[in-house]
Amino acid sequence: NIGAAAEEMHYKAYVVGGFVRDLLMEKDNYDIDIVIEGDGAKFAVNYAKKHNAKVFVHKKFKTAVVSFDDGFKIDFATARTEYYVTPAAAPEVVESSVKSDLFRRDFTINAMAVRLDGAQFGLLLDFFMGQKDILDKKIRVLHSLSFVDDPSRAYRAIRFAVRFGFEIGSHTDRLIKHAESLDLFSRIIGQRQFLELKYILAEDGYLFALQLMNKYNMLRFYSTKIKYDDELINKFKRSEHLLNWYKIQFEEDIEVWRMRFNILFFPEKGENFISLIDKFELSSKEASILKDDHKYMEYAVSLFKRYKDHKPSFIYGVCSNLSVESALALAAVMGESKQDIIKDYLTEYKNVKIDLSGQDLIEAGIPKGPEIKKALDVLLKAKLDGIVNTKEDELLFIKN
Ligand code: ATP
């Protein structure tokens, strides 16, 4: 029905990019990108009105997102050509035909479109041999200046290569090496740099992606402390076992990219890690999650090294500020010897609660104020170490 709506407005409509790629590869894809030859934003507003959906318009880029009540979304754009005024800067946008819109895209496999309006409904537009590259399992850019226009495409090339088990074409491979030698990757803005890494770390094949980034000497743009060696590979392998263990225990999903990020950047110490995160220019919420994860991992490692007596209350004190993602990362970086301790923390100690309430303590004669918190802490420690077990034990313990 997008096609019919386009006909009414005398526009041409196409579904483009990842959706077409995944359609040809028979993979599910629920991200629908529509390109309109005409005013894409105006089209989206009309389309949303017809279907009682919400629309958000981005005037400058002539794009819009239409969201339906069930959460389903469609992205609409105006067919455009982009001019890069300076390399790696935001492009200037002008209206254009679908062919030049496709020409500004990253790889041949992502640069195909299917016509949605009129008699030509279903026609596949493949100007750059995307179908052939799917069959040949190749990631290829459309022209030699592709990485000059947008160096972040090199990280995308790696991501798609590992996701589909494709090879990076030989010309594209040379262009990535050339871009690296020209230091083009250092021009990628922080947020983009972060997102590309996050997407890579969310892929099942992330380890192979890191190997490719290492081969192209691209890890240095994140941190010179990251060494892709057997030690790092072993940490990641351990983390995968831990992750499987966690999923079986708790049947809940965690942010795997975050666990992997914590492992990858653990060699960066304190202040250096903080300035590295600041360069990504993330929201203050995201930045503080990453900084806290790192800080509490460092804290735990130093305490585990300093003290040898690992009573449950000690382990609780060391681990209680860790997120699940950083606890699993910690277990992976500390090696076999500490894994069971962290597993015990996650399965047992983390959930220990005392039975007495603050009110119970007041009734038992503890004065209101900070004394209550102190008493609760002491009780929790005693419970963790098995000194008290029942509510009666707790009451006796506190009275003494
Ligand atoms: P995914 O399955 O990871 O979402 P996708 O191909 O849908 O893959 P998006 O990042 O959503 O990836 O991009 C949608 C489309 O926009 C791509 O298929 C590609 O045609 C184009 N595109 C995205 N990023 C770039 C880029 N940096 N340079 C050129 N074209 C891009």
Side-chain angles (χ1 to χ4, degrees), residues 17-82:
F19 183 86
V20 178
R21 175 199 69 215
D22 289 345
L23 188 72
L24 293 170
M25 292 175 72
E26 296 178 13
K27 290 182 190 301
D28 287 340
N29 186 325
Y30 302 101
D31 288 335
I32 300 189
D33 288 308
I34 303 292
V35 164
I36 299 289
E37 274 181 357
D39 187 334
K42 194 167 146 192
F43 178 83
V45 170
N46 275 347
Y47 185 79
K49 209 186 271 171
K50 250 192 205 157
H51 292 87
N52 269 332
K54 289 196 186 71
V55 60
F56 176 80
V57 174
H58 199 308
K59 275 211 181 106
K60 188 172 162 221
F61 291 109
K62 298 190 176 178
T63 60
V65 185
V66 172
S67 347
F68 298 87
D69 286 343
D70 58 2
F72 189 69
K73 284 187 182 144
I74 305 179
D75 283 299
F76 290 89
T78 303
R80 65 199 197 189
T81 310
E82 291 177 351

Side-chain angles (χ1 to χ4, degrees), residues 16-19 21-22 28-29 31 33 82 84 101-102 104-107 109-112 146 150 152-153 156 159-160 163-164 192 196 199 203:
V16 297
F19 183 86
R21 175 199 69 215
D22 289 345
D28 287 340
N29 186 325
D31 288 335
D33 288 308
E82 291 177 351
Y84 290 85
D101 183 287
L102 293 173
R104 74 181 173 85
R105 289 171 185 265
D106 48 5
F107 310 113
I109 61 165
N110 286 344
M112 291 179 279
S146 192
D150 180 355
S152 74
R153 289 174 184 164
R156 290 175 61 86
R159 170 151 58 96
F160 291 120
R163 183 190 300 172
F164 301 130
R192 175 61 29 205
E196 292 303 339
Y199 294 151
E203 293 283 341

Side-chain angles (χ1 to χ4, degrees), residues 292-330:
D292 282 352
D293 272 0
H294 187 269
K295 179 174 76 185
Y296 292 121
M297 279 174 69
E298 280 194 327
Y299 172 76
V301 167
S302 77
L303 286 188
F304 277 130
K305 270 199 192 128
R306 188 147 14 121
Y307 300 101
K308 297 291 168 226
D309 178 14
H310 297 156
K311 276 198 292 202
S313 61
F314 170 80
I315 296 168
Y316 183 91
V318 168
C319 296
S320 61
N321 285 313
L322 292 169
S323 61
V324 173
E325 287 85 355
S326 57
L328 295 177
L330 177 71

Side-chain angles (χ1 to χ4, degrees), residues 141-150 153 171 175 184:
V141 288
L142 306 190
H143 57 85
S144 297
L145 289 178
S146 192
F147 296 122
V148 178
D149 287 345
D150 180 355
R153 289 174 184 164
H171 181 55
L175 293 174
L184 289 189

